[in-house]
Amino acid sequence: AQSVAQPEDQVNVAEGNPLTVKCTYSVSGNPYLFWYVQYPNRGLQFLLKYITGDNLVKGSYGFEAEFNKSQTSFHLKKPSALVSDSALYFCAVRALLTGNQFYFGTGTSLTVIP
Amino acid sequence: GAGVSQSPSNKVTEKGKDVELRCDPISGHTALYWYRQSLGQGLEFLIYFQGNSAPDKSGLPSDRFSAERTGGSVSTLTIQRTQQEDSAVYLCASSWGLAGQETQYFGPGTRLLVL
């Protein structure tokens, strides 16, 4: 079965500290991996994606993520958190071998404490 | 430019009534997705449209749910005989590009409450 897991419902980090939001996946074949962010009362916005090539992907707002095939992970990171990064983060995966579905995780609520 | 729009933004209905939710994708986007987001849950895939191809309906939870996309643009998600468990936020997303690799652009959602 294809799935995405975000093991932490809530992550708290102090402003200026590095942040990590975890994501692991299970798909058949090569995965395409995505991170989206949902700010309060707003729609989901694309952050970054991994399709192929360099395992370290850089995206919007200073975020980056590293594809680790052996650990089937795609953790989202940022070197220095901002209060404005507080939001709900979703990891998603798709593999062409498994049809048209994107599989989304249950989301991780990130709170950056001033 | 204009993003994905959805209407209504909120819908309250009584159990057993039918509802229609509308999605206007970004012009030129060939793919359109419907998802359901319930409290504490991830996004649940419902249906996928790509160009003129037959839609992928594999995510629809029951035959009370249906969707159509007219002229390759606007899409309507219909829920017949609504149940309380249908209460959720219904999200629409559109995209273009290589299938599976494309970035999805999401609308603000329709929050449905079934009393």
Side-chain angles (χ1 to χ4, degrees):
Chain A
Q2 326 303 318
S3 64
V4 174
Q6 293 181 243
E8 300 160 318
D9 293 335
Q10 175 77 42
V11 171
N12 296 325
V13 63
E15 185 177 25
N17 282 2
L19 70 86
T20 298
V21 183
K22 296 179 180 177
C23 172
T24 59
Y25 65 89
S26 173
V27 295
S28 300
N30 293 325
Y32 300 143
L33 294 154
F34 301 77
W35 276 101
Y36 287 85
V37 59
Q38 187 174 34
Y39 296 103
N41 300 314
R42 296 177 64 179
L44 275 77
Q45 297 177 29
F46 169 77
L47 272 181
L48 51 79
K49 63 183 175 182
Y50 170 82
I51 302 301
T52 186
D54 193 350
N55 289 342
L56 184 64
V57 178
K58 294 185 183 297
S60 307
Y61 312 120
F63 283 93
E64 59 186 30
E66 185 167 12
F67 170 58
N68 188 317
K69 188 173 183 177
S70 63
Q71 297 185 5
T72 62
S73 68
F74 190 57
H75 301 330
L76 181 70
K77 298 184 179 183
K78 186 173 182 180
S80 179
L82 301 173
V83 173
S84 57
D85 293 330
S86 299
L88 189 58
Y89 291 80
F90 289 94
C91 180
V93 64
R94 177 168 167 170
L96 289 182
L97 293 178
T98 56
N100 302 306
Q101 288 196 34
F102 282 83
Y103 294 87
F104 281 79
T106 52
T108 298
S109 179
L110 172 68
T111 299
V112 181
I113 303 165
Chain B
V4 177
S5 61
Q6 293 186 244
S7 61
S9 54
N10 290 281
K11 177 71 176 179
V12 180
T13 190
E14 294 178 347
K15 178 182 173 181
K17 300 283 189 182
D18 298 351
V19 295
E20 285 190 352
L21 312 179
R22 177 186 169 105
C23 172
D24 282 87
I26 294 174
S27 178
H29 280 193
T30 56
L32 188 147
Y33 297 79
W34 281 98
Y35 295 91
R36 179 167 67 177
Q37 183 179 18
S38 303
L39 190 64
Q41 303 292 319
L43 274 68
E44 176 188 3
F45 166 80
L46 296 178
I47 189 168
Y48 165 72
F49 296 90
Q50 173 61 270
N52 296 321
S53 302
D56 179 348
K57 305 178 182 180
S58 59
L60 295 178
S62 77
D63 59 7
R64 296 186 296 106
F65 289 73
S66 63
E68 63 178 21
R69 189 179 185 192
T70 55
S73 182
V74 172
S75 178
T76 302
L77 176 69
T78 301
I79 309 174
Q80 295 178 311
R81 305 181 302 280
T82 52
Q83 304 294 313
Q84 289 181 333
E85 60 263 28
D86 298 335
S87 297
V89 177
Y90 289 82
L91 297 172
C92 172
S94 70
S95 66
W96 70 278
L98 291 174
Q101 302 181 18
E102 73 273 28
T103 296
Q104 295 179 73
Y105 294 82
F106 284 82
T110 293
R111 188 175 301 275
L112 174 66
L113 178 61
V114 182
L115 301 176

